[in-house]
Amino acid sequence: MRLILLGPPGAGKGTQAQRLVAKYGLVQLSTGDMLRAAVNAGTPVGLRAKDIMARGELVPDDVVVAIVSDRIDASDARKGFILDGFPRTVPQAHALDRMLKDKGSKLDAVIELKVDEGILLKRIEKRIAETMGRGETLRADDNPDVLKRRLLAYRDQTAPLVAYYGRQSVLRPIDGMAPISKVASAIDEALSGATADVVPAKKRPPAKAAVNKSTAKSAPVAGKAKKAGAKRVAKPARKPLKTKDKSAPGAGARTVANRKSHPRKSRRQQRLTKRR
């Protein structure tokens, strides 16, 4: 599972990241932690980042992406990771997408914790009062002015990522103002749909063999003919008709001769003969 948590400072990303790490066995990757670890390990990318930071310059995106690439290849990140604080800009998001694509991978979901900045400021003020009331030391970010500057930087640099990942259909907006337990449940529900394995297609019935229409139509007829033929009783062959052979020698001659020797009498001659 490969995730990004988006949201302004004070939205509760750290709380939800720790819970996701414990539940899914993921690794939480913070840009600052990865930079320090790479520098301490003395990796080629870490040494390059060290020189850049020593000059007081910002670490360029390609160096940060290279450090992230090395980190997610570690054995403890096999089940997945949660990127916290990276990417911060759209160009960094493009670089991250290219790096994951080269590895044959991609993001499963980008969780956006939506909060009200006005309420966030009130939360900080309340937390400061409670911390001071207990006599504890304030954190560096427990300062309303610092929070305002960080919120402004988030709106200018990181908020455009919402539209960027929305176009990729991996954005999962969550109401970060809800109680922590409800936020956690909403995230789990969003992830159940985002990271579900591809459901195998249902087995289709075997395709029917193509039937030749001409054969299909003629087959029953042939069958009927065969069946009908089995019931018929063979009729005896007819005797050939006797015909006079006109070609027989003398046949025609005798007929003509008889006619000449015995000429046919008229009806009047026949009546006269009877009277006599």
Side-chain angles (χ1 to χ4, degrees):
M1 190 183 299
R2 296 159 292 276
L3 308 176
I4 290 177
L5 286 179
L6 280 182
K13 298 189 299 296
T15 301
Q16 295 301 329
Q18 292 174 6
R19 187 189 67 84
L20 291 171
V21 167
K23 181 172 183 177
Y24 296 103
L26 308 178
V27 176
Q28 183 179 1
L29 304 180
S30 170
T31 308
D33 293 341
M34 286 186 289
L35 281 171
R36 286 188 290 271
V39 170
N40 294 334
T43 63
V45 179
L47 295 176
R48 183 182 172 191
K50 182 179 180 180
D51 293 338
I52 294 172
M53 290 187 291
R55 296 194 299 267
E57 300 175 1
L58 293 176
V59 180
D61 292 346
D62 62 330
V63 175
V64 176
V65 171
I67 291 174
V68 173
S69 177
D70 289 345
R71 182 64 185 86
I72 64 178
D73 286 340
S75 59
D76 60 344
R78 288 177 181 174
K79 292 185 178 180
F81 55 82
I82 303 171
L83 286 174
D84 181 11
F86 183 84
R88 293 183 182 274
T89 63
V90 173
Q92 288 181 351
H94 280 295
L96 175 64
D97 287 344
R98 287 193 298 270
M99 180 264 287
L100 291 175
K101 185 177 181 180
D102 291 342
K103 294 178 180 293
S105 183
K106 64 179 181 179
L107 292 171
D108 292 307
V110 176
I111 304 298
E112 180 202 6
L113 297 179
K114 301 174 72 68
V115 295
D116 186 306
E117 293 182 3
I119 296 179
L120 285 182
L121 288 170
K122 291 181 179 179
R123 283 182 179 177
I124 291 294
E125 293 172 353
K126 181 180 179 181
R127 188 165 65 190
I128 291 173
E130 292 175 348
T131 303
M132 293 179 66
R134 293 193 298 267
E136 298 176 357
T137 305
L138 294 175
R139 298 190 312 185
D141 57 351
D142 284 341
N143 186 315
D145 293 333
V146 172
L147 179 59
K148 288 178 182 178
R149 289 195 296 269
R150 294 177 65 191
L151 289 174
L152 181 60
Y154 177 82
R155 286 196 300 269
D156 292 342
Q157 297 179 3
T158 310
L161 291 175
V162 173
Y164 175 79
Y165 286 119
R167 288 191 294 270
Q168 295 187 14
S169 301
V170 294
L171 187 70
R172 302 291 182 269
I174 302 294
D175 180 12
M177 303 306 298
I180 293 176
S181 59
K182 289 188 177 181
V183 173
S185 298
I187 291 175
D188 289 341
E189 184 177 353
L191 293 180
S192 65
T195 60
D197 292 334
V198 178
V199 179
K202 293 181 179 179
K203 290 185 178 180
R204 298 180 180 178
K208 294 182 179 180
V211 179
N212 189 332
K213 292 184 179 180
S214 60
T215 306
K217 290 182 179 179
S218 60
V221 175
K224 289 181 181 178
K226 187 175 182 181
K227 189 175 182 182
K231 291 182 180 180
R232 286 181 184 175
V233 178
K235 294 182 180 180
R238 295 181 180 181
K239 294 181 178 180
L241 296 175
K242 292 183 178 181
T243 57
K244 293 182 179 180
D245 188 2
K246 294 182 180 181
S247 63
R254 284 196 300 270
T255 303
V256 174
N258 290 337
R259 286 180 181 177
K260 288 183 178 181
S261 59
H262 301 285
R264 188 173 183 178
K265 296 180 180 180
S266 64
R267 290 182 180 181
R268 183 178 178 184
Q269 288 176 343
Q270 291 177 359
R271 285 196 299 268
L272 290 174
T273 304
K274 287 181 181 181
R275 287 178 182 176
R276 289 177 185 175

